[in-house]
């Protein structure tokens, strides 16, 4: 058994680290200043410019299949990349990607939706959550009623990431009420078919939106996948992001902890650096252990998927532990910085607000615990199954 990264993985990790240090970190002061002045963290054209620089360095479509021009690096590599990019709070994502379920599109849909999304010409969002159906996805009320070659959609979606910017939405609606979760369908709906959106102000930088459908007519050919096959797609979309939350938490926590270590050696109280105090040392030690534990959970979840095996149990564990680890570590790091930690001169308050979201979206802490315990209680998974 060899738990070390391969030479190729190390090389990718190093290249991404250099990109983050050279291209992204120098923008951090500008991002903090823009935040204080209430401006967008980075102008969209700057993000595009950075994506093109990353493309020149070979990082485009990290997980996109090669037939669509992507690097198709696999899940472990993706985890390593995310851990590196999360070391900065400069809002950056690599270009050349599309939502996992968009690959279920048929050939015409691929031309119209998948390929323009990968190329950055169109923006998508995914809408499952409703005001009365968040964790309880079986309670979706949005209706889709067939009328000849069209479906008429009515209802409201909420907390939709990118919903205010998207050109089209992959939206889940009830097509056969009698069938429960087996009676929902996913539709590809262009904004100009008539849905509207409203920005939701949150405690973080993540600005989701509510989407409103009032007799929106959608051609039958815009069904993604099968009629009544939407629930599976929805769960696949949500499940895909779970261990990714853990990877982000690891990256953020590693950077923040290093900043706390550096600060603790410089900051003196009562004639000594605070690093000499056991209270500070224990916060550093506990954080380092928890980061390492989260990292292994994330890499195990990613590696399991790379082997083509079911990683849902591990993904829930990586999300639950990673999200909570991220919250604990950023809280300690802020504490070690004292009053300065609470200011907008440092990124900790920003990370603190961001980290709080990790425990809510893509399935809350409570839902992850429900999944993990259900798997164990039903015997679907046994303790110690994974190594
Ligand atoms: C910033 C942001 C972005 C989002 N992006 C998207 C998106 O792009 N697309 C999308 O479809 N959705 C998105 N969501 C929705 C997100 O997935 C839901 O908010 C989340 O699943 C929780 O649902 P809820 O808010 O309705 O809370 P509820 O389901 O109402 O839960 C309230 C509380 O009760 C707990 N709870 C619920 N059921 C149980 C239970 N059975 N046992 C114990 N405790 C329980 C929950 O854990 C939580 O603590 C986003 C949310 C946010 C905040």
């Amino acid at each position: 058994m060899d738990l070390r990264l391969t030479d190729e993985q190390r090389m990718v990790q190093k290249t991404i680290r250099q990109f983050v240090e050279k291209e992204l970190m120098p923008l951090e002061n500008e991002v903090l200043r823009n935040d204080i002045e209430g401006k967008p963290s980075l102008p969209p054209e700057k993000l595009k410019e950075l994506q093109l620089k990353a493309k020149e360095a070979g990082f485009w479509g990290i997980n996109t299949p090669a037939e669509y021009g992507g690097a198709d690096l696999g899940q472990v590599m993706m985890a390593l990349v995310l851990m590196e990019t999360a070391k900065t709070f400069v809002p950056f994502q690599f270009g050349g990607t599309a939502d996992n379920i968009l690959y279920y599109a048929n050939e015409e849909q691929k031309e119209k939706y998948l390929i323009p999304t990968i190329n950055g010409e169109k923006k998508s969002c995914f809408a499952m959550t409703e005001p009365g159906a968040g964790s309880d996805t079986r309670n979706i009320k949005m209706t889709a009623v067939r009328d000849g070659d069209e479906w008429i959609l009515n209802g409201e979606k909420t907390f939709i990431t990118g919903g205010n910017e998207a050109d089209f939405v992959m939206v889940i609606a009830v097509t056969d009420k009698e069938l429960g979760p087996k009676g929902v369908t996913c539709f590809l709906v262009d904004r100009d078919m008539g849905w509207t959106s409203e920005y939701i102000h949150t405690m973080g930088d993540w600005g989701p939106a509510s989407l409103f459908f009032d007799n929106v007519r959608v051609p039958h050919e815009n069904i993604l996948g099968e009629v009544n096959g939407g629930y599976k797609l929805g769960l696949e979309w949500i499940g895909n992001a779970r261990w990714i939350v853990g990877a982000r938490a690891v990256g953020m926590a590693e950077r923040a902890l290093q900043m706390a270590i550096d600060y603790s050696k410089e900051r003196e109280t009562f004639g000594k650096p605070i690093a000499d105090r056991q209270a500070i040392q224990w916060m550093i030690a506990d954080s380092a252990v928890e980061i390492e534990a989260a990292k292994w959970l994330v890499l195990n979840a990613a590696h399991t998927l790379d082997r083509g095996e079911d990683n849902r149990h591990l993904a829930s564990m990586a999300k639950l532990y990673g999200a909570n680890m991220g919250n604990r570590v950023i809280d300690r790091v802020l504490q070690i910085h004292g009053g300065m930690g609470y200011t907008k001169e440092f990124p900790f308050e920003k990370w603190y607000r961001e980290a709080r979201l990790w425990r809510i979206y893509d399935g809350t802490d409570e839902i992850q615990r429900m999944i993990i315990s259900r798997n164990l209680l039903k015997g679907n998974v046994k303790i110690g199954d994974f190594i």
Side-chain angles (χ1 to χ4, degrees):
M1 178 173 161
D2 189 351
L3 292 175
R4 284 169 306 183
L5 298 181
T6 62
D7 288 346
E8 192 196 359
Q9 287 164 341
R10 277 197 186 285
M11 201 263 292
V12 169
Q13 187 188 42
K14 190 172 157 211
T15 314
I16 298 279
R17 191 168 290 171
Q18 284 167 345
F19 176 80
V20 170
E21 285 172 1
K22 184 162 166 266
E23 304 293 345
L24 303 183
M25 288 181 180
L27 299 170
E28 289 183 341
N29 284 339
E30 184 184 336
V31 169
L32 289 180
R33 207 171 45 248
N34 285 342
D35 284 356
I36 290 171
E37 291 170 8
K39 295 184 193 156
S41 297
L42 271 191
E45 38 309 345
K46 185 74 196 170
L47 177 63
K48 260 217 155 106
E49 187 191 311
L50 289 167
Q51 285 181 335
L52 289 177
K53 271 193 188 160
K55 191 176 183 181
E56 279 164 26
F59 293 107
W60 182 259
I62 301 288
N63 239 351
T64 303
E67 60 180 300
Y68 299 104
D72 204 3
L73 292 180
Q75 309 301 326
V76 167
M77 216 76 114
M78 171 92 167
L80 296 172
V81 167
L82 288 171
M83 286 176 196
E84 291 307 316
T85 51
K87 286 183 180 163
T88 177
F89 49 89
V90 172
F92 172 79
Q93 314 129 2
F94 290 98
T97 59
D99 293 83
N100 57 343
I101 60 169
L102 205 44
Y103 290 92
Y104 287 104
N106 60 33
E107 288 314 308
E108 288 96 71
Q109 292 169 343
K110 278 184 180 161
E111 284 298 317
K112 200 165 163 205
Y113 297 101
L114 175 69
I115 292 167
T117 304
I118 291 173
N119 292 340
E121 293 147 13
K122 275 190 179 173
K123 287 197 178 111
S124 67
C125 65
F126 170 78
M128 181 117 151
T129 304
E130 297 183 1
S135 306
D136 187 6
T137 46
R138 289 163 184 244
N139 201 30
I140 288 170
K141 294 282 184 288
M142 176 181 259
T143 53
V145 176
R146 187 144 191 191
D147 182 28
D149 282 346
E150 292 181 326
W151 292 79
I152 304 171
L153 271 60
N154 276 295
E156 180 182 339
K157 295 289 174 181
T158 195
F159 291 126
I160 306 309
T161 301
N164 224 27
E165 297 80 26
D167 300 296
F168 71 95
V169 56
M170 292 165 273
V171 67
I172 305 285
V174 177
T175 34
D176 189 338
K177 200 170 164 223
E178 303 304 312
L179 294 177
K182 291 197 171 140
V184 298
T185 301
C186 186
F187 294 86
L188 292 158
V189 191
D190 298 288
R191 188 179 285 269
D192 60 18
M193 287 174 183
W195 56 270
T196 56
S197 63
E198 208 170 89
Y199 190 82
I200 301 171
H201 294 273
T202 66
M203 68 186 269
D205 298 332
W206 208 280
S210 291
L211 313 188
F212 304 96
F213 289 72
D214 183 9
N215 287 322
V216 173
R217 289 186 164 267
V218 182
H220 182 76
E221 68 208 32
N222 276 36
I223 285 175
L224 182 63
E226 307 287 326
V227 176
N228 295 336
Y231 197 66
K232 196 174 149 279
L233 291 184
L235 293 189
E236 198 168 324
W237 186 89
I238 294 169
N240 184 50
R242 286 201 169 139
W243 63 268
I244 284 174
V245 171
R248 289 217 180 93
V250 168
M252 180 278 286
E254 282 190 341
R255 171 93 187 281
L257 182 59
Q258 186 57 54
M259 290 169 86
I261 291 169
D262 296 343
Y263 185 80
S264 69
K265 290 196 274 192
E266 282 165 19
R267 179 70 178 168
E268 290 195 4
T269 62
F270 306 98
K272 273 184 176 183
I274 57 170
D276 286 4
R277 312 285 173 188
Q278 193 181 53
I280 302 292
Q281 292 163 0
W282 285 23
M283 282 199 266
I284 291 172
D286 286 346
S287 298
V289 173
E290 290 174 29
I291 291 170
E292 216 51 31
K295 189 185 275 184
W296 286 110
L297 278 173
V298 168
L299 289 174
N300 201 2
H303 193 244
T304 303
L305 205 55
D306 272 341
R307 289 198 307 267
E309 293 167 23
D310 185 349
N311 84 337
R312 285 174 295 177
H313 188 78
L314 285 170
S316 281
M317 294 208 287
K319 194 216 177 227
L320 175 65
Y321 189 79
N324 281 273
M325 174 282 292
N327 276 266
R328 286 192 298 271
V329 170
I330 197 62
D331 187 65
R332 292 183 194 124
V333 167
L334 198 153
Q335 189 70 13
I336 289 172
H337 283 80
M340 285 310 290
Y342 191 62
T343 69
K344 286 183 184 279
E345 306 284 312
F346 282 100
F348 310 122
E349 66 81 35
K350 187 176 169 70
W351 270 327
Y352 196 89
R353 288 182 285 117
E354 164 82 16
R356 194 61 189 80
L357 174 62
W358 298 337
R359 296 181 50 206
I360 296 171
Y361 72 173
D362 284 323
T364 62
D365 283 0
E366 292 72 27
I367 295 302
Q368 305 311 329
R369 289 192 173 99
M370 200 171 90
I371 293 168
I372 295 164
S373 59
R374 190 177 55 203
N375 286 342
L376 291 165
L377 290 166
K378 284 193 168 174
N380 300 338
V381 169
K382 294 200 172 48
I383 296 284
D385 253 4
F386 291 101
I387 200 98

